[in-house]
């Protein structure tokens, strides 16, 4: 295979993706006008459509004040419902199983209130050893909330130990909470297989899909996942700190024995303004909402989900496999730690540490990639907007610096 710049350009002509829908940041000097952006697994790029949508929502507030709740073009009271169906399509869920709300770790906590219910003999909470630190902090604080010692209740496992642990110790496990795609290595776990195994041992199985939503196809309903949460600022391109998603399987929606933290947005919207003292939630994921949602954060999620609806995950996944395979071939000779079961991210181990390297990539080569302590450089060619030429630039720069 010929792996030169011209070849990368030719591939872009044949397989162009949807870069024109996005703002690609300009490079600070150098050979190319734009950066080679390989950090969509950290913060996705801004869709060109986002600004005008956001301005429309701001204008509605200026023009209507409080009346915007009912009279805005996209009325604020039911605004979140506009996001439900496209979010459900993205993760393979039923609309009633899906809600966009809060941020990711907040959603994980709200869901664990319902789904981590330790009891004597079954109190363990399994996460992967390389879980994102926020998940680790969250589960440890949940263990403490239940009066347990997090050092014994929380079990950290390498991803290749999960199956054998569940087979031998599954009866002591209350909850398995794993990253669908690992943030560090980019490994895609066997979500349906682990979910089924956890269930066969009587455990609840939930998923942090921060690195999976918009990256790999998901079928949460069919896979019988108990609950899941994901953010929208990575592959979903909805902006820094964007609203997150939550999924609760239909099986649980009518279970009135489930504990849940509630607020006025948990109750049936038809009676919300009766101002009754007792909430009457509908059997929907919406019942896990607590507060009224931030309207200006919803437009960017809506714009992004429209793009996913229009293009479709199957087509994106196909291009993703082509792009990531191409990047992998360019990284030949480097220590790529990502296995073949993966999304678009490739992680490269850098002897001597990755932080300084990411600065050199940016300032000397116009390549934005992100380093994770101590020695991992993550490169994510995002099928919506990354080009083969970006991959070529990133690989050249990396080899040059290493
Ligand atoms: C896998 C994973 N989980 C949790 C988080 C924390 O997300 P938030 O700060 O939005 O709660 C992140 C952030 O990057 C993440 O990658």
């Amino acid at each position: 295979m010929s792996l030169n710049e011209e070849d990368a350009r030719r591939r872009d002509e044949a397989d162009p993706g949807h870069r024109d829908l996005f703002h690609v940041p300009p490079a600070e000097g150098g050979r190319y006008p734009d950066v080679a952006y390989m950090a969509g697994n950290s913060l996705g790029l801004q869709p060109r459509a986002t600004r005008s949508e956001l301005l429309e929502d701001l204008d509605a507030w200026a023009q209507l004040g409080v009346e915007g709740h009912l009279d805005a073009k996209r009325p604020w009271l039911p605004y979140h419902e506009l996001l439900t169906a496209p979010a459900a399509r993205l993760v393979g869920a039923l609309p009633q199983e899906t809600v966009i709300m809060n941020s990711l770790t907040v959603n994980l906590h709200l869901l664990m209130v319902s789904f981590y219910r330790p009891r004597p003999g079954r109190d363990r909470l399994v996460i992967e050893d390389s879980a994102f630190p926020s998940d680790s902090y969250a589960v440890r604080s949940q263990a403490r909330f239940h009066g347990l010692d997090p050092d014994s209740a929380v079990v950290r496992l390498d991803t290749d130990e999960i199956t054998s642990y569940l087979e031998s110790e599954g009866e002591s496990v209350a909850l398995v909470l794993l990253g669908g795609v690992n943030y560090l290595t980019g490994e895609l776990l066997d979500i349906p297989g682990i979910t089924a195994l956890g269930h066969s041992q009587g455990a609840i199985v939930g998923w942090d899909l921060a690195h999976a939503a918009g990256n790999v196809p998901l079928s949460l309903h069919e896979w019988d996942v108990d609950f899941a949460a994901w953010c929208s600022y990575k592959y979903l391109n909805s902006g820094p700190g964007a609203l997150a998603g939550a999924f609760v399987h239909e099986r649980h929606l009518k279970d009135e024995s489930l504990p849940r933290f509630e607020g006025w947005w948990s109750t049936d919207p038809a009676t919300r303004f009766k101002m009754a003292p007792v909430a009457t939630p509908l059997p929907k994921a919406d019942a896990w909402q607590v507060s009224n949602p931030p309207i200006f954060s919803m437009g960017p999620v809506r714009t992004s989900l429209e793009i996913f609806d229009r293009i479709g995950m199957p087509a994106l996944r196909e291009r993703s496999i082509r792009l990531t395979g191409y990047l992998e071939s360019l990284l030949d000779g480097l220590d790529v730690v990502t296995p073949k079961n993966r999304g678009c991210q490739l992680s490269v181990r850098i002897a001597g540490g990755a932080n300084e390297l990411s600065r050199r990539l940016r300032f000397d080569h116009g390549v934005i990639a992100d380093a994770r302590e101590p020695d991992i450089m993550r490169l994510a060619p995002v099928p919506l907007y990354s080009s083969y030429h970006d991959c070529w630039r990133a690989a050249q720069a990396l080899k040059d610096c290493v």
Side-chain angles (χ1 to χ4, degrees):
M1 192 189 322
S2 152
L3 300 176
N4 55 38
E5 183 168 17
E6 233 172 82
D7 172 72
R9 297 277 197 206
R10 266 197 304 274
R11 286 169 195 261
D12 278 325
E13 270 167 37
D15 185 11
H18 305 273
R19 195 180 183 87
D20 52 336
L21 298 179
F22 293 85
H23 291 284
V24 181
E28 298 163 30
R31 268 180 80 187
Y32 303 105
D34 297 333
V35 296
Y37 195 78
M38 307 302 277
N41 57 339
S42 182
L43 181 72
L45 292 181
Q46 185 185 130
R48 289 185 184 277
T50 301
R51 176 184 292 264
S52 58
E53 293 282 322
L54 205 50
L55 287 176
E56 266 186 29
D57 289 335
L58 267 173
D59 284 346
W61 181 30
Q63 301 302 320
L64 297 165
V66 70
E67 305 300 345
H69 281 302
L70 294 173
D71 295 345
K73 178 174 155 196
R74 293 181 283 275
W76 303 332
L77 277 179
Y79 199 130
H80 78 273
E81 292 169 13
L82 296 175
L83 311 180
T84 303
R89 284 191 284 275
L90 183 80
V91 297
L94 304 176
Q96 64 269 31
E97 294 172 321
T98 313
V99 60
I100 298 293
M101 60 180 190
N102 309 313
S103 49
L104 170 55
T105 310
V106 170
N107 287 348
L108 288 174
H109 272 301
L110 291 173
L111 292 163
M112 280 192 279
V113 162
S114 301
F115 293 108
Y116 178 50
R117 302 175 68 191
R119 48 196 183 279
R122 193 187 273 282
D123 64 1
R124 292 190 199 165
L125 203 166
V126 171
I127 62 171
E128 77 268 40
D129 197 30
S130 55
F132 192 80
S134 189
D135 292 25
S136 181
Y137 307 157
V139 298
R140 290 177 63 83
S141 66
Q142 285 281 332
R144 278 199 305 278
F145 176 70
H146 287 280
L148 300 170
D149 172 5
D151 287 336
S152 46
V154 175
V155 178
R156 309 180 67 99
L157 299 173
D158 282 344
T159 52
D160 58 6
E161 295 170 335
I162 291 166
T163 300
S164 58
Y165 184 85
L166 288 177
E167 279 164 355
S168 61
E169 305 288 327
E171 284 181 5
S172 63
V173 175
L175 172 64
V176 181
L177 179 63
L178 301 169
V181 171
N182 183 269
Y183 88 99
L184 191 63
T185 64
E187 179 183 4
L188 167 61
L189 297 192
D190 174 10
I191 301 177
I194 294 172
T195 302
L197 177 57
H199 287 170
S200 73
Q201 297 287 54
I204 292 276
V205 186
W207 292 90
D208 174 344
L209 300 176
H211 287 263
N215 181 15
V216 293
L218 297 165
S219 301
L220 300 185
H221 177 81
E222 190 190 318
W223 295 342
D224 210 23
V225 162
D226 291 290
F227 71 89
W230 60 94
C231 61
S232 309
Y233 45 78
K234 301 177 187 295
Y235 297 104
L236 300 186
N237 309 311
S238 304
L243 284 167
F247 164 89
V248 178
H249 198 279
E250 191 185 31
R251 281 180 289 116
H252 298 298
L253 295 176
K254 289 196 177 129
D255 180 355
E256 292 186 357
S257 73
L258 276 186
R260 184 169 55 215
F261 287 170
E262 294 178 348
W264 70 319
W265 237 254
S266 316
T267 202
D268 178 357
T271 55
R272 183 171 292 136
F273 287 93
K274 301 274 183 224
M275 303 319 226
V278 177
T280 50
L282 296 175
K284 299 169 84 170
D286 283 14
W288 273 261
Q289 293 178 110
V290 177
S291 297
N292 84 103
I295 297 304
F296 303 138
S297 298
M298 297 216 149
V301 182
R302 210 172 65 80
T303 309
S304 161
L305 291 173
E306 269 175 14
I307 295 175
F308 279 89
D309 257 347
R310 215 164 51 239
I311 299 166
M313 268 318 289
L316 286 174
R317 177 63 167 162
E318 282 172 22
R319 182 164 193 270
S320 175
I321 289 169
R322 291 193 293 274
L323 264 183
T324 300
Y326 173 70
L327 177 62
E328 187 178 36
S329 63
L330 297 178
L331 295 178
D332 188 35
L334 296 178
D335 185 7
V336 175
V337 300
T338 307
K340 295 286 179 199
N341 44 322
R342 64 192 179 202
C344 72
Q345 172 185 326
L346 293 179
S347 302
V348 185
R349 178 162 287 124
I350 308 291
N355 275 343
E356 172 54 25
L357 178 60
S358 78
R359 276 187 288 277
R360 287 177 57 205
L361 288 178
R362 178 177 168 201
F363 293 113
D364 299 347
H365 298 273
V367 172
I368 308 279
D370 78 357
R372 281 291 174 268
E373 291 283 356
D375 58 357
I376 294 292
M377 181 64 70
R378 306 186 303 173
L379 302 168
V382 172
L384 271 171
Y385 50 72
S386 294
S387 64
Y388 290 87
H389 191 251
D390 291 336
C391 294
W392 180 82
R393 280 175 65 193
Q396 288 299 113
L398 201 56
K399 287 191 162 170
D400 190 64
C401 292
V402 168

